Amino acid sequence: MANGKSKSSTTARRREVRKSVPRPGPLWLQTLRRREVGWAALFIAMLVAVAGPVAIWLGGPEHYYAGQVLTEPITVRVAFEREDVERTQQMRDAERRNLPAIYVADEAYLSALKNRLNDLLALTEYPTVEEVPAELRDQTRLTELVLHELRQYIENGQPTEQWQTDTRRFLQELFELAVLDPTDQHPSDDPVGMRPITIVHPDPVPGKAEEQRLFGRRILSLTDTKRLEDEVEFATRHFYNKEHLQKSIVALVMQHPQPTYHYEPNLTGLRGDEAAAAVQRQVVKYEANAVLFTTGTELTRDDIGLIL
């Protein structure tokens, strides 16, 4: 009895031990659990990650590079379009370059002319021409006939409305003429009058635009005194039927002629930028199967960008 009981307890203990010891599992699972196998798997995964794209690249389209001379033409597979950046820039530069330069009126000179004309009218306070200072008589070619015509613009000791109208018309016409200093103009406007310009009127005639484009004979150099004098004389016709006064006014203006307009580089640049920005992007269209580059073409960096 004792021996039988001992054997029974030994068998039970063996069963308990077997239950507590983990079973090895399938052979393939044991293999994957080995450390060296794990490292090998990681290496293979990295190799696939690197070699895959290389294989695709080598097996894909031909690799092009700058400086390569084509041995066969390259055609367009799918229709597309792109901006011709160089052409766009050329057209914008041309628009900026061709825009007439802008000149603004010399307001100080306009004001000075108004004062000189009013000073001329003030000479009517002298009873006779002999009583006018010699310097003033010489500057204005003043005569009794001039004083007589000036007095027709005085009423109750004040300038008449007609004087205001005639002087304003005279100055407006004078400032519709661009008298320019050759040393103060847009570089592309040399010589004076060869290119159109845009002037900004100081006192525009009602109904007319503030800005006006001038060209040809409406632009003249300050150094062309003979032509300038002819233009001033023509403008004095607004002092109607006052021949002697007209000559006096011409002398007054030609004593110290000045430019009527000055070049305005900042405004010219701004308008040029606006005109350039208005130019549409120039687009080149490529149809499918069209030849993009012919045989013998040496590829540039820009060409590579177009191909890719």
Side-chain angles (χ1 to χ4, degrees), residues 150-200:
L150 281 171
R151 290 189 178 107
Q152 297 176 32
Y153 286 110
I154 296 293
E155 187 175 296
N156 298 324
Q158 298 295 324
T160 63
E161 193 68 33
Q162 190 63 49
W163 170 258
Q164 305 295 341
T165 299
D166 291 352
T167 53
R168 181 176 183 183
R169 287 177 177 172
F170 166 71
L171 292 173
Q172 283 176 333
E173 180 157 340
L174 192 61
F175 274 75
E176 286 184 356
L177 183 71
V179 181
L180 306 181
D181 183 344
T183 64
D184 175 37
Q185 60 176 353
H186 190 277
S188 63
D189 291 339
D190 189 19
V192 172
M194 291 300 293
R195 283 168 47 91
I197 67 171
T198 297
I199 61 172
V200 181

Side-chain angles (χ1 to χ4, degrees), residues 122-169:
L123 295 180
T124 56
E125 296 177 359
Y126 291 94
T128 63
V129 71
E130 287 77 12
E131 298 180 58
V132 178
E135 183 180 358
L136 293 179
R137 291 202 308 266
D138 294 339
Q139 290 175 357
T140 59
R141 297 182 185 178
L142 192 65
T143 64
E144 287 291 350
L145 293 175
V146 174
L147 279 179
H148 173 71
E149 291 176 350
L150 281 171
R151 290 189 178 107
Q152 297 176 32
Y153 286 110
I154 296 293
E155 187 175 296
N156 298 324
Q158 298 295 324
T160 63
E161 193 68 33
Q162 190 63 49
W163 170 258
Q164 305 295 341
T165 299
D166 291 352
T167 53
R168 181 176 183 183
R169 287 177 177 172

Side-chain angles (χ1 to χ4, degrees), residues 218-250:
R218 300 308 296 167
I219 309 172
L220 70 151
S221 172
L222 182 64
T223 59
D224 191 351
T225 53
K226 177 60 175 68
R227 189 171 152 220
L228 176 58
E229 184 173 350
D230 290 342
E231 293 289 352
V232 173
E233 182 179 353
F234 182 72
T236 60
R237 72 186 186 282
H238 294 291
F239 298 95
Y240 180 70
N241 201 27
K242 293 179 176 56
E243 176 184 352
H244 303 286
L245 175 58
Q246 291 174 0
K247 293 179 180 178
S248 180
I249 292 175
V250 171

Side-chain angles (χ1 to χ4, degrees), residues 219-294:
I219 309 172
L220 70 151
S221 172
L222 182 64
T223 59
D224 191 351
T225 53
K226 177 60 175 68
R227 189 171 152 220
L228 176 58
E229 184 173 350
D230 290 342
E231 293 289 352
V232 173
E233 182 179 353
F234 182 72
T236 60
R237 72 186 186 282
H238 294 291
F239 298 95
Y240 180 70
N241 201 27
K242 293 179 176 56
E243 176 184 352
H244 303 286
L245 175 58
Q246 291 174 0
K247 293 179 180 178
S248 180
I249 292 175
V250 171
L252 184 69
V253 173
M254 294 305 298
Q255 182 183 6
H256 297 294
Q258 296 180 37
T260 53
Y261 290 87
H262 290 293
Y263 172 53
E264 177 45 65
N266 293 333
L267 188 55
T268 299
L270 179 62
R271 294 287 179 83
D273 291 341
E274 292 173 351
V279 175
Q280 298 296 320
R281 295 166 57 252
Q282 300 302 297
V283 175
V284 180
K285 296 183 177 180
Y286 297 90
E287 301 296 335
N289 301 319
V291 175
L292 191 60
F293 298 108
T294 59

